[in-house]
Amino acid sequence: MKNMGMKVSQAGFLGTGHCVPDQVWTNKDLEKMMDTSDEWIRTRTGIAQRYVAPKGVNTSDLATGAAKKALEMARISAKDLDLIIVCTLTPDRSLPATACKVQANLGAVNVPAFDLNAACSGFVYASIIAKQFIETGLYKNILVIGAEVLTRVINWNDRGSCVLFGDGAGAAVIGRVDDGYGMFGTDMGAQGEGGKYLTIPSSGVEMPRTDETIKNELAFAQMDGKEVYKFAVHAMPGAAEKVMKLSGWTSDEVAMLIPHQANLRIIESASKRLHIPMNKIFVNIQNYANTSGASIPIAMDEANRAGLLHRGDKVVLAGFGAGLTWAGLAMKWF
Ligand SMILES: CC(C)(COP(=O)(O)OP(=O)(O)OC[C@H]1O[C@@H](n2cnc3c(N)ncnc32)[C@H](O)[C@@H]1OP(=O)(O)O)[C@@H](O)C(=O)NCCC(=O)NCCS
């Protein structure tokens, strides 16, 4: 019997990577497309630009690019993987899973692969799932990817939401780390009754996508920004607080908070509530906008490659998103 529910090893991030398309749209570019302004977008959200995937570049392409970098940093080959999870709300297709396409792209022959949709909380959800497999000793190396091409599902006629999003992918290899390092407290949750606040009505079997639903703007994201904002300023710091408490850590011990990058004001509000100063919070929303499931792993990879994460640092990931969902993860960088 291999699995008795006992922890046989500690799980942590062995390598990170990210990938974005070449094309950048600045706020000034959006000014030419709709009635908006660079000033409005910057002051309300902190966003200055976003990456936009051109036709022919799909979620699996960005996911594969990010995965290759994470594998390289972890110094393992795709053949060493035991599981691939792709977190996305914009899969290439609803069938097959984008994770299977990525598996084929990487040449990870016979490695199990599946998609997970917890919207912007997806990467943290999947990391928590990966932690269980590593800790029980069942698996050794798990590839978790957050990847999105949101610019194809947002409503470009709705200036209140379309300016917020961008495309990209972030990835991490999760595996065994030394005792005393890696992942500690975790939290994930959902409030399904809030699903209506951020949704694409015509995107599945309930209301199949047709010319009619496209014309009526039902096939694109609809968001009640104020409701999502209210949820976010409560849920994201709530998840961070919970995982710090579960780990026995206080705010001032935290070296770096890596939050979901949805809105700078939401991040600033979390900073106040958590008593974690902004200089200990990683922010890159200005360059990427909100890339949903890719936002936290892109931020983590940038922080990692910039040398901002040191062995032993207490790092907290916290996210929220459609569903409504939230998730948090506390770890000691290895
Ligand atoms: C979307 C969001 C930035 C809007 O900010 P806000 O301060 O609530 O702004 P409002 O929606 O009240 O709009 C204020 C005004 O700006 C206008 N406006 C909206 N979008 C605009 C844009 N892109 N450019 C210029 N003006 C805009 C509105 O029409 C409104 O004008 P009015 O006062 O004349 O009616 C904010 O609600 C938010 O960030 N919500 C959370 C969204 C989120 O994080 N989603 C992702 C979840 S993972």
Side-chain angles (χ1 to χ4, degrees), residues 34-37 40-41 44-45 120 159-161 163-165 198 223-226 228-229 232 260 262-263 265-266 290 292 320-322:
M34 67 190 78
D35 180 16
T36 190
S37 67
W40 190 97
I41 300 171
R44 302 276 171 147
T45 70
C120 310
R159 67 176 183 166
S161 64
V163 300
L164 305 177
F165 298 99
L198 185 46
M223 182 180 76
D224 183 331
K226 285 193 177 19
V228 175
Y229 194 95
H260 171 44
N263 184 319
R265 288 188 297 155
I266 294 173
N290 180 348
S292 190
F320 69 92

Side-chain angles (χ1 to χ4, degrees), residues 85-89 115-129 144-148 188 260 292-297 319-322 325-327:
I85 309 175
V86 172
C87 312
T88 186
L89 62 95
D115 286 0
L116 179 153
N117 180 353
C120 310
S121 310
F123 179 81
V124 182
Y125 261 60
S127 299
I128 295 170
I129 292 171
V144 175
I145 309 167
E148 309 283 5
M188 49 183 175
H260 171 44
S292 190
S295 123
I296 290 177
F320 69 92
T325 57
W326 69 87

Side-chain angles (χ1 to χ4, degrees), residues 70-226:
L71 288 168
E72 192 184 308
M73 189 189 284
R75 293 203 188 92
I76 63 164
S77 113
K79 292 182 179 59
D80 301 322
L81 290 170
D82 298 303
L83 177 64
I84 299 171
I85 309 175
V86 172
C87 312
T88 186
L89 62 95
T90 50
D92 287 14
R93 302 178 179 195
S94 57
L95 258 185
T98 298
C100 292
K101 210 164 169 189
V102 172
Q103 187 247 36
N105 289 349
L106 294 174
V109 182
N110 293 341
V111 172
F114 65 87
D115 286 0
L116 179 153
N117 180 353
C120 310
S121 310
F123 179 81
V124 182
Y125 261 60
S127 299
I128 295 170
I129 292 171
K131 175 180 187 281
Q132 316 310 313
F133 282 112
I134 301 296
E135 286 187 352
T136 55
L138 189 66
Y139 288 159
K140 215 168 147 217
N141 296 305
I142 300 177
L143 177 62
V144 175
I145 309 167
E148 309 283 5
V149 177
L150 295 168
T151 55
R152 268 177 231 156
V153 301
I154 54 182
N155 184 351
W156 285 101
N157 294 324
D158 175 17
R159 67 176 183 166
S161 64
C162 70
V163 300
L164 305 177
F165 298 99
D167 302 334
V173 175
I174 295 178
R176 296 174 187 174
V177 296
D178 295 342
D179 279 350
Y181 295 86
M183 302 180 190
F184 291 90
T186 65
D187 180 40
M188 49 183 175
Q191 267 175 22
E193 62 278 11
K196 58 185 180 249
Y197 297 133
L198 185 46
T199 183
I200 306 176
S202 174
S203 56
V205 295
E206 179 190 343
M207 190 195 294
R209 193 180 159 108
T210 61
D211 288 349
E212 188 74 7
T213 66
I214 292 171
K215 196 174 100 220
N216 294 332
E217 300 186 347
L218 293 165
F220 305 102
Q222 296 180 348
M223 182 180 76
D224 183 331
K226 285 193 177 19

